[in-house]
Structure formats: C-alpha cells, structure tokens
Amino acid sequence: MPSALNERQLSGIGMTSARARQRMIERLRARGIDDEPLLNIIASTPRHLFVDEALAHRAYDDSALPIGFGQTLSNSYTVARMTSLARSSSSMEKVLEIGSGSGYQTVILAQVSGVVWSVERIAELQRKAQDRCHSLQIRNVRFRVADGHWGWAEQGPYDAIVCTAAPESVPEALLDQLSPEGGVLIIPVGDQQQQRLLRCTRVGDSFQQEDIEEAFFVPLIATQASL
Ligand code: SAH
C-alpha cells in the first residue's frame, strides 16, 4: 500500500491548512466516522490539490466543490462514509470506482486497497485525476474512460465497488461484477430530488440491500453501450 506522500505535499498551504484539516477530521468524528486509520489517511491527503487553485482555501470546508464539466468533488463526510462502509465489510483487495472525477476519492481508496480500477466518462477529468495520482506517487490505480453503468468486467470480480454518481436504479452489471464471496457495492440511487445511499452485499447468487442514508450526488449519465 502506498504511503509516500512527501513533506511538501503534506504541508499543504501552510498552517491555516493544518488547522483546517484538523477541524475537518473533528467534524468527521462528530458525524460518526470512527475508522481511525481512515481518518489518518484523510488527514494526510492534500484535498486542496484536487480543486482549482482559486478554490484551494475551501478544500477542507464541509462542502462539495466544483471540478469543472458541471461535476463536483463530494464533501469529505461523503468520501469518508463511503470508504468506511466499503472497508468495514470487504477485504478491499480489488476495488472498482465509478466516477473518478477529481481523483480525490480514488486516492483515498487507493490507500486502503490492493488495486483500484477507476472508470470515468469525461476524459479530461480522468487525465487530471491520473496526473494527481502520479504526483502523489499513488501507483495502484488503473483508469479507463467509459460508461460506468457497465463496470469493468474484464478485471472483476471486485471485493468492493464504490459508485460516486447516482443512477436511477442499481445497474445489473455492477451487481454481476461483485465477488460472490461477500462483495459490496456502495451506491447512491435516485434522481436529483431524492437519493438514498445503498450498500448491496453479494453472497453466492443472492444479494442483500441495506438503505444507509440520504445522499446528494450528480447523476450517473447513460452514454453508450459497453466499450
Ligand atoms: N469521486 C469524485 C467525484 C465524482 S462526481 C471525486 O472524488 O472527485 C461524479 C463523477 O462521475 C463525475 O466525474 C462524472 O463525470 C462521472 N460520471 C457520471 N456519469 C458517469 C458514467 N456513466 N460513467 C462514468 N462516470 C460517470
């Protein structure tokens, strides 16, 4: 697992950033995130590098941030919650992420996973996400530009699938690509008025679905058939 974020990357944008990061971690604890190793990873990951410089001062606030193309980087609670839900019930050896976006969730996942495969439909966003992984020396991520509704079948089955955009119903292909030995899918489902975050667990050919909480994600856009 990579741990090699260097001093310059960790020092962020000065003392303000160190305090802002600590406040962010305290807010996550207050909202019930109690996975300490994950909180340490979030504290040491430079979230400000995943947004435009003009927004860097807001990177540790409790908000989602624009990343271009009408897309958003989820707030830190959402990233922490999805990652801890996946981690608490999966070995995280093989992980599929749908919606690379800025690459922030990807980099958090990469630090708690064996290998992450990440699918994004907008090539320009993915290129930037890839550059950020590279500059943070995160080496266990593979990227692909495609419609995430179809997952990444060739690399499955996955111990965990984390989807960071909301379809109207759970895509069959993602369920099919879960490991039959307890694979978990963490996914928001619904429209722009109402969404629920779900955890679907596969054991053999049966699927159990848990409703976790309200969610707020951009839509998972249907583009094309499997590439
Ligand atoms: N996890 C991201 C935030 C993602 S926002 C982060 O940490 O920054 C949701 C992302 O899903 C956007 O980048 C959007 O382009 C992507 N997306 C939407 N529909 C998609 C689809 N059908 N296939 C793949 N990616 C999709």
Side-chain angles (χ1 to χ4, degrees), residues 71-73 99 101-102 105 120-121 125 146-148 164 218 220-221:
Q71 305 303 318
T72 52
L73 164 54
S102 69
Q105 169 88 71
E120 167 61 54
R121 61 180 279 272
L125 282 178
D147 180 352
T164 67
V218 295
L220 186 74
I221 294 171

Side-chain angles (χ1 to χ4, degrees), residues 125-151:
L125 282 178
Q126 183 159 89
R127 194 186 53 72
K128 284 194 194 162
Q130 205 159 356
D131 288 349
R132 288 170 181 140
C133 280
H134 184 74
S135 67
L136 294 173
Q137 294 168 34
I138 298 287
R139 299 200 173 90
N140 56 337
V141 183
R142 307 288 172 266
F143 288 98
R144 181 186 205 186
V145 174
D147 180 352
H149 282 92
W150 302 94

Side-chain angles (χ1 to χ4, degrees), residues 69-85:
F69 302 91
Q71 305 303 318
T72 52
L73 164 54
S74 301
N75 68 17
S76 54
Y77 170 75
T78 302
V79 174
R81 184 79 168 122
M82 291 183 97
T83 310
S84 90
L85 280 168

Side-chain angles (χ1 to χ4, degrees), residues 1-2 95 106-107 109-117 137-142:
M1 240 167 259
V95 174
T106 320
V107 163
L109 283 172
Q111 294 176 83
V112 297
S113 305
V115 184
V116 177
W117 283 269
Q137 294 168 34
I138 298 287
R139 299 200 173 90
N140 56 337
V141 183
R142 307 288 172 266

Side-chain angles (χ1 to χ4, degrees), residues 1 33-41 79-93 95 108-109 111-113 159-162 184 186 199:
M1 240 167 259
I33 307 293
D34 58 2
D35 180 338
E36 288 299 324
L38 175 62
L39 288 171
N40 286 335
I41 285 168
V79 174
R81 184 79 168 122
M82 291 183 97
T83 310
S84 90
L85 280 168
R87 241 163 87 74
S88 65
S89 46
S90 147
S91 68
M92 305 291 278
E93 279 308 310
V95 174
I108 300 292
L109 283 172
Q111 294 176 83
V112 297
S113 305
D159 302 306
I161 302 179
V162 173
V184 290
I186 313 295
R199 172 165 59 186

Side-chain angles (χ1 to χ4, degrees), residues 165-168 190-195 215-220:
E168 292 199 349
D191 54 27
Q192 292 305 286
Q193 269 72 54
Q194 202 190 11
Q195 290 172 17
F216 309 91
F217 285 83
V218 295
L220 186 74

